[in-house]
Amino acid sequence: MTTSTDQLLTVGALAVDYRTGRQWTPAVRGVSLTVRAGEFVSLVGESGSGKTTLIQGALGLLPDAARITGGSIAYADVDVTGWNDRKMALVRGNYVGFVPQDPNTSLNPVKRIGTQVLEAVRFNRPRNDATAYREAALESLRTAGLTDAERVFHQYPHELSGGMKQRALIAIALAGQPRIIVADEPTSALDVTVQKRILDHLAGLRERLGIGILLVTHDLGVALERSDRILVMQSGEIVEEGPVAQVLAGATSDYTRRLLDAAPSRHAGRLQPRLPVRPAGPAGGPVLRADGLTRTYRLHGGRQLRALDDAGLIVRPGTTHAIVGESGAGKSTLAGILAGFHRPDTGTVHAGDHEITALGRKQLRDVRRDLQFVFQNPFTSLDPRFTVRRLIEEPLKAFGLPTGDRVGELLRAVALDEAFADRRPGQLSGGQRQRVAIARALALNPRIIVLDEAVSALDVSVQAQILQLLVDLQAERGLSYVFVTHDLGVVRLVADDVTVMKDGRVVETGPVGTVFREPAHDYTRQLLAAVPGAGLTPAGQV
C-alpha cells in the first residue's frame, strides 16, 4: 500500500455500538482523529472511555458483538471503511503495525520468538527466500532494540523479561515495514525504567524512520511528556484535543482538568488530610522494625534465587514508609515477611513489643489484629461469592467480635454508601472494590496496614481518590502504613520515608524530601529520571 500524503490515518466521525442482550449501546460517538507522518499522538482516557474500541474499529479488529454505525476510516488516501477482515489484513502489518498491551497473552508461549517474527515477515513481505526471511526477522528484532537478536530469535517468551517481550511485540509490528504504529497501552504493565526505554525507542523509530505513532494510554504523565498532540476521550467522545503546551496551559474540559489534577507527576509535596489530624501520642519507638532479613527461594532445577539480602527498615508511628523498586527488587517478599505471611531465612521483624519472626501460628494470629494487609488487585483479593457485608464481617467473626453496625461504620469510613453492603464484588468498580478491601482491613482497628501496590491497577482519578482516602484515614486514626509501589510519583504524594530496593538489597533509605532532592545512589537517580512527566512538576518543589 503506497501513497504520497503525510496524513497516515484519518478517522472521521466514527461511531461504534456494542450489543448487550437484544440492545445496542453506543461505545464510540462520532470520534475523529488524524495521525501524520513523523507525528506522536496520544489518545488518553480511563477504563470504559472507548479508547480500545476506537482503535479496534480503526484496525478492523472489532469483536462480533460490536458494529460500526457511522463515520469513515482512511489510511493515507485509501478509504477502508467497510472492508472485510481479508482486505484489512493487507493493511495491518504492511502499512499499520499494532503493538498490543500484554505480551504475556499476545505472544504464543510454545513458539520461539524468531518463529513468531518470521510469521509476520512472511505474511507482509512475500519473497520465497528463507535466508532473506530470517535476515528480515533479525533486522526487525534489532530495530525494536533487541541488540542480541540471534539469541532472542531462539528463545521462548518465558525466557525474556517484560521489557524484552514488549520489544518482541514491537519487532512483530515492524516486520511489515509499516508507516504508522498503533500502540495500545504498551507499557502499562512495565516498571518505570523499562517503560522509559520502550517509549524512548518508539520515539527513536519516529525520528529515524519517519513513522507516525498513535499511543493509547490512561497515563496522562506519559502522554504529556511524549506527545506532539493529545486527544482526551470520555464516555465514547473526544472532549479535548490539542498540542501538549495548549492542554497544559488551558484545558477546556472539566474532565481533562480532573485528569491533570489527579496525575501524580503533576503534584509537588504530600497530600494533606481533609479531616482533623488525630493528636499524636507520647513519643515512642518504631511501630514496625525489620533488621537483617534474607530470603532465598529454590527454583526448578535446583537453582537458588536470593530474593532478600540483609534488608531492613523502620516505620515511625503515624507515618507512611514507602518501599520502591522495580519488579524482582524484593518489595513484595519484604512486605509478606513484615505481615507475617512468610518467614525469613535470617533476620527479625518487630511489631511494637512482638518479634513477629519468632511467633507461632496462634500468637501470630493475635498480632494480625494490629497489622493488616491490602493486596494489589481487588479483583482477585475479594471472594466473588460473598457480599460486601460478609467480606467485612469475616475478620470480626474470626476474632469473636460483635458485628453490630460495624459494616455500616466501615463503609462510611471509606466513603461508600451502606447500600453497597448487599452487593457482590462483581457489581462494583475497581475503585469501589479497593475501598471494600480497605474497609475490611480496618475492621479490627489495626495500628499498621501494609499495602502492596494497592493503587497500581486503578485509573488515575480513582487512584487519586484512594490515596486521599488513605491520607484522611491516617490523620483520623493515627494509622501507620507500609506502602509498596513502583511509582515514585505516588511516593511523593503519600509517604514520609522511603526505602529504595534493588536486587533484594536496600540501596537507599531516608525522608522522602531528602531522597528526592539529593538521591545518594545511581539507581535512585535512574528511578527519579524515569518518572513520566516528572519534568512537568512545578519548578523548585519536591
Side-chain angles (χ1 to χ4, degrees):
M1 184 173 184
T2 61
T3 179
S4 59
T5 182
D6 73 343
Q7 197 151 292
L8 304 179
L9 169 63
T10 306
V11 176
L14 189 69
V16 180
D17 290 356
Y18 266 90
R19 183 177 61 236
T20 50
R22 295 184 178 181
Q23 300 295 320
W24 288 90
T25 303
V28 173
R29 308 163 186 261
V31 170
S32 299
L33 67 84
T34 60
V35 181
R36 295 178 176 84
E39 188 178 33
F40 198 126
V41 178
S42 287
L43 181 64
V44 182
E46 297 180 291
S47 299
S49 63
K51 308 186 304 295
T52 297
T53 298
L54 172 62
I55 296 308
Q56 288 174 336
L59 293 170
L61 294 173
L62 285 170
D64 292 338
R67 66 182 183 187
I68 293 176
T69 59
S72 62
I73 305 157
Y75 286 98
D77 53 1
V78 179
D79 188 336
V80 302
T81 311
W83 279 20
N84 60 29
D85 187 63
R86 182 181 61 80
K87 292 184 70 176
M88 282 301 298
L90 300 175
V91 178
R92 296 190 298 262
N94 62 14
Y95 185 84
V96 54
F98 179 52
V99 182
Q101 177 174 354
D102 186 0
N104 293 311
T105 57
S106 301
L107 291 172
N108 190 326
V110 299
K111 289 185 177 181
R112 298 180 193 273
I113 296 297
T115 301
Q116 299 184 59
V117 180
L118 277 171
E119 289 173 351
V121 169
R122 289 192 185 101
F123 183 82
N124 292 297
R125 297 194 234 172
R127 62 185 73 189
N128 298 318
D129 184 335
T131 302
Y133 281 146
R134 190 177 190 281
E135 186 50 44
L138 288 170
E139 184 57 30
S140 287
L141 289 168
R142 294 187 194 103
T143 306
L146 292 162
T147 52
D148 194 356
E150 286 280 0
R151 178 175 60 83
V152 174
F153 189 92
H154 295 286
Q155 289 182 300
Y156 290 95
H158 73 270
E159 296 178 291
L160 305 181
S161 68
M164 292 176 73
K165 283 188 275 193
Q166 196 61 271
R167 287 172 188 261
L169 285 181
I170 293 173
I172 292 170
L174 292 172
Q177 298 177 316
R179 296 196 60 201
I180 179 173
I181 290 179
V182 177
D184 187 6
E185 299 275 10
T187 62
S188 61
L190 302 178
D191 291 319
V192 64
T193 52
V194 181
Q195 173 182 261
K196 183 178 186 301
R197 289 195 291 269
I198 295 295
L199 293 172
D200 284 348
H201 192 70
L202 287 174
L205 291 173
R206 175 182 72 151
E207 294 294 327
R208 295 199 318 274
L209 305 177
I211 290 174
I213 295 175
L214 176 58
L215 175 70
V216 182
T217 181
H218 68 273
D219 191 329
L220 192 58
V222 167
L224 291 170
E225 183 178 70
R226 299 286 176 168
S227 309
D228 300 309
R229 287 189 296 117
I230 291 177
L231 292 87
V232 180
M233 199 165 180
Q234 181 192 24
S235 302
E237 298 178 319
I238 299 295
V239 297
E240 189 93 38
E241 179 178 0
V244 168
Q246 176 184 311
V247 173
L248 275 172
T252 59
S253 162
D254 289 341
Y255 178 69
T256 306
R257 287 193 288 270
R258 289 200 300 273
L259 288 182
L260 286 168
D261 290 341
S265 58
R266 293 276 297 152
H267 287 267
R270 201 179 190 280
L271 287 176
Q272 296 303 306
R274 298 170 298 187
L275 305 168
V277 178
R278 177 176 176 173
V287 293
L288 193 64
R289 179 179 186 127
D291 295 288
L293 296 178
T294 64
R295 178 68 191 262
T296 301
Y297 292 101
R298 187 175 298 277
L299 304 178
H300 180 71
R303 294 185 299 118
Q304 292 188 332
L305 171 68
R306 178 62 66 91
L308 288 181
D309 189 357
D310 194 27
L313 56 74
I314 295 174
V315 182
R316 297 180 288 121
T319 67
T320 298
H321 194 118
I323 305 173
V324 300
E326 297 177 292
S327 297
K331 306 186 304 294
S332 292
T333 299
L334 176 56
I337 291 174
L338 294 176
F341 295 155
H342 314 294
R343 289 190 183 276
D345 299 331
T346 62
T348 59
V349 176
H350 287 84
D353 298 328
H354 300 282
E355 184 184 338
I356 292 178
T357 42
L359 297 179
R361 182 174 297 178
K362 184 177 185 306
Q363 296 167 306
L364 188 58
R365 183 176 183 273
D366 293 335
V367 171
R368 288 230 174 89
R369 290 187 61 169
D370 217 24
L371 196 161
Q372 287 289 302
F373 198 95
V374 177
F375 293 91
Q376 174 177 357
N377 192 343
F379 293 88
T380 56
S381 63
L382 300 176
D383 193 317
R385 301 168 299 172
F386 291 179
T387 63
V388 168
R389 183 184 309 281
R390 183 173 175 184
L391 287 166
I392 296 175
E393 285 181 344
E394 193 175 38
L396 295 167
K397 290 180 177 178
F399 283 89
L401 300 174
T403 56
D405 188 40
R406 286 286 286 153
V407 173
E409 291 175 14
L410 290 163
L411 286 175
R412 289 192 293 273
V414 297
L416 286 178
D417 191 276
E418 290 184 54
F420 283 90
D422 297 316
R423 298 186 189 180
R424 287 181 168 77
Q427 298 170 291
L428 307 180
S429 69
Q432 290 167 345
R433 293 189 201 199
Q434 200 61 292
R435 288 174 187 266
V436 171
I438 293 169
R440 178 182 165 96
L442 292 172
L444 299 174
N445 289 320
R447 286 193 305 157
I448 309 163
I449 299 180
V450 179
L451 303 109
D452 189 3
E453 297 277 12
V455 297
S456 64
L458 305 176
D459 284 324
V460 63
S461 63
V462 180
Q463 179 186 88
Q465 294 166 15
I466 296 297
L467 293 175
Q468 185 64 60
L469 170 66
L470 291 170
V471 169
D472 292 344
L473 290 169
Q474 184 174 58
E476 181 184 32
R477 297 168 179 247
L479 294 166
S480 302
Y481 296 136
V482 176
F483 198 93
V484 178
T485 182
H486 66 275
D487 190 335
L488 285 171
V490 169
V491 171
R492 182 191 286 115
L493 291 179
V494 300
D496 302 285
D497 302 301
V498 59
T499 289
V500 182
M501 296 189 68
K502 185 179 189 297
D503 299 330
R505 298 186 65 86
V506 172
V507 299
E508 187 159 2
T509 189
V512 168
T514 302
V515 172
F516 275 46
R517 275 194 307 270
E518 302 169 357
H521 197 278
D522 285 342
Y523 179 67
T524 309
R525 288 190 282 272
Q526 291 172 22
L527 290 179
L528 288 166
V531 175
L536 303 169
T537 303
Q541 300 185 46
V542 177

